[in-house]
Amino acid sequence: MRKAPFKAIIQALLASLVVTTYFVVVAKLDHNDVPWTSIIFHPNMVRGLLYGFLLFLAHSYLSKWVGKKYPSGKDFGKKMIVFYSVSFFLTIGVVFIVNAFFSGLFNPGVSESFSQRFYHFIHQQRVAYYFQTAMISWCISMFFFGFYFYKRFKESQIKESHQEKQQITAQFESLKNQLDPHFLFNSLNVLSGLIEESPKKASMFTTDLSKIYRYVLEQKDKSLVSLQDELAFSKAYLNLLSLRFEDGIQIDLHISEEENKGFILPLSLQLLIENVIKHNVISLKKPLFLKIYRNADYLYVENNLQKKKVLHGNSGIGLKNIQDRYKILSNLPIHIQESDTVFSVGLPIMTEIVT
């Protein structure tokens, strides 16, 4: 068997001094006429020291065993129930062995047989004494080991919270990292269409695209951006779409300066606009009507519904990306409404930056 660690032995000695002090005080109260020195150096005080030492050492190993059996921080209640249930019987066992040792039960030099010694020893024991000692042991272990388990419980909670935060941060970063290639891919598709239709427009588009992509790079590491900045960026992006589709797309964006307050996800408005362009037919005969407005604490993107029969390159990133990112940052829902003629998405506008 391994030797008890030095720290545990010191703690056990200190605990035994506490138990001994209790016995000394009780003895003095029962025998007020007896000097303190006679009580302190009485042979029974050695028994008290042994009680304290063995009980603390046994409970120290018990706490380690319980900790290994229930390693999760969520098992705090189970740890306490198992520890104090076993502690009761452990205390009785230690007291029984110490009392048996001092009674001479294990002394082979006496004339009585072991069975006779055991019979006399059992009849000398008092249930009330064992119960009293168990209660004292419980109180001491409640202070030492209850605090130990509670401290480990709080440390485990902090660790799990930190791990959960790291996991959420990693998940959020992964979602944001989808935006760069997604935006670039869609922009290049628009550019390729313009090159065939009008090289002059393609040149203008390329110049504006470089400015827009600078915004993408600047905002990609932020959790939230001001609504004002996102609207300014989206207006530039809408200008590019107007350059390509001309009268095939009609845009209604009227948000006053008073309505510019608040924060939303970076590139969320642009992704919704992309979603509209991607899923609907746009032509001079069937123009697409796009309306962007604020209602209370939501920013809405609304369009007339004229779905494409076949979708190419459907990656499913746009709307799902926004929903997943909002779930991480807020409990506010995204409003999605669809009828036979109209489709709209409402983004929650937050009043402060989420850290």
Side-chain angles (χ1 to χ4, degrees):
M1 182 178 178
R2 294 185 304 172
K3 293 182 179 180
F6 180 74
K7 183 179 179 180
I9 294 176
I10 296 298
Q11 291 174 336
L13 287 173
L14 292 175
S16 67
L17 289 175
V18 173
V19 176
T20 304
T21 302
Y22 167 81
F23 279 109
V24 169
V25 173
V26 171
K28 181 61 178 176
L29 292 176
D30 291 340
H31 306 86
N32 195 34
D33 55 334
V34 179
W36 281 101
T37 54
S38 300
I39 295 175
I40 294 173
F41 294 104
H42 193 276
N44 283 340
M45 293 304 105
V46 178
R47 181 180 302 194
L49 282 170
L50 200 56
Y51 280 156
F53 181 79
L54 293 178
L55 284 173
F56 191 93
L57 210 57
H59 281 79
S60 178
Y61 281 107
L62 174 62
S63 67
K64 292 179 181 179
W65 175 78
V66 172
K68 289 181 180 179
K69 185 173 178 65
Y70 301 102
S72 174
K74 299 178 181 179
D75 296 330
F76 176 72
K78 291 181 181 178
K79 288 180 181 179
M80 299 303 292
I81 293 173
V82 172
F83 179 83
Y84 286 110
S85 298
V86 177
S87 170
F88 181 82
F89 297 101
L90 183 64
T91 300
I92 292 176
V94 170
V95 172
F96 183 88
I97 292 173
V98 172
N99 287 351
F101 175 79
F102 278 94
S103 68
L105 178 63
F106 303 112
N107 186 3
V110 297
S111 58
E112 291 181 325
S113 65
F114 178 81
S115 59
Q116 289 176 322
R117 297 196 305 271
F118 185 78
Y119 177 82
H120 293 151
F121 168 72
I122 291 298
H123 280 76
Q124 291 172 356
Q125 305 307 300
R126 296 291 180 266
V127 174
Y129 178 80
Y130 279 86
F131 183 78
Q132 182 186 39
T133 308
M135 290 300 100
I136 297 170
S137 175
W138 261 10
C139 291
I140 296 174
S141 61
M142 182 78 75
F143 176 77
F144 283 102
F145 299 104
F147 176 75
Y148 167 77
F149 283 134
Y150 180 75
K151 183 179 178 183
R152 292 291 298 271
F153 170 67
K154 298 303 291 184
E155 288 176 351
S156 177
Q157 278 190 324
I158 294 173
K159 184 178 179 180
E160 289 180 1
S161 176
H162 181 66
Q163 290 176 342
E164 183 179 353
K165 185 177 180 180
Q166 285 183 323
Q167 184 178 0
I168 291 175
T169 301
Q171 181 184 359
F172 189 75
E173 290 300 321
S174 176
L175 289 170
K176 288 196 298 182
N177 288 336
Q178 292 178 348
L179 301 182
D180 281 351
H182 179 70
F183 174 79
L184 185 59
F185 175 78
N186 283 279
S187 298
L188 291 177
N189 276 344
V190 174
L191 180 59
S192 64
L194 283 177
I195 291 174
E196 295 178 0
E197 297 171 8
S198 173
K200 184 178 180 180
K201 289 182 179 180
S203 177
M204 295 171 60
F205 184 93
T206 303
T207 302
D208 291 337
L209 179 61
S210 65
K211 299 177 182 179
I212 292 174
Y213 200 73
R214 180 183 300 172
Y215 173 86
V216 175
L217 296 176
E218 289 174 350
Q219 307 298 332
K220 65 187 276 307
D221 293 328
K222 297 180 180 179
S223 299
L224 293 173
V225 295
S226 69
L227 178 59
Q228 184 176 5
D229 289 344
E230 185 72 8
L231 285 171
F233 160 71
S234 297
K235 287 178 182 178
Y237 183 70
L238 288 170
N239 288 336
L240 296 184
L241 296 178
S242 297
L243 187 64
R244 179 186 177 189
F245 296 108
E246 296 181 338
D247 293 336
I249 184 170
Q250 303 295 321
I251 300 169
D252 181 9
L253 198 167
H254 295 290
I255 297 179
S256 64
E257 291 186 6
E258 291 76 13
E259 294 177 320
N260 272 343
K261 310 300 181 182
F263 302 88
I264 63 173
L265 294 175
L267 305 181
S268 56
L269 181 54
Q270 180 262 336
L271 283 174
L272 289 184
I273 296 171
E274 278 189 10
N275 197 59
V276 173
I277 302 300
K278 180 178 181 180
H279 291 83
N280 292 275
V281 174
I282 304 175
S283 67
L284 294 176
K285 293 182 178 180
K286 299 183 67 176
L288 180 70
F289 295 95
L290 181 64
K291 183 179 180 181
I292 301 172
Y293 61 96
R294 178 169 182 166
N295 184 5
D297 291 329
Y298 275 81
L299 180 70
Y300 285 89
V301 175
E302 182 179 294
N303 65 278
N304 58 320
L305 200 60
Q306 38 195 38
K307 290 183 179 180
K308 293 180 180 178
K309 294 182 179 180
V310 179
L311 293 176
H312 298 285
N314 184 13
S315 60
I317 288 178
L319 188 55
K320 186 177 185 305
N321 182 285
I322 296 172
Q323 289 176 312
D324 290 342
R325 286 193 291 155
Y326 261 112
K327 285 180 182 178
I328 293 174
L329 293 179
S330 171
N331 294 324
L332 297 173
I334 292 178
H335 294 168
I336 301 176
Q337 296 179 341
E338 181 177 349
S339 66
D340 293 336
T341 58
V342 177
F343 181 81
S344 70
V345 179
L347 300 179
I349 299 173
M350 301 184 191
T351 57
E352 59 183 8
I353 291 289
V354 179
T355 57

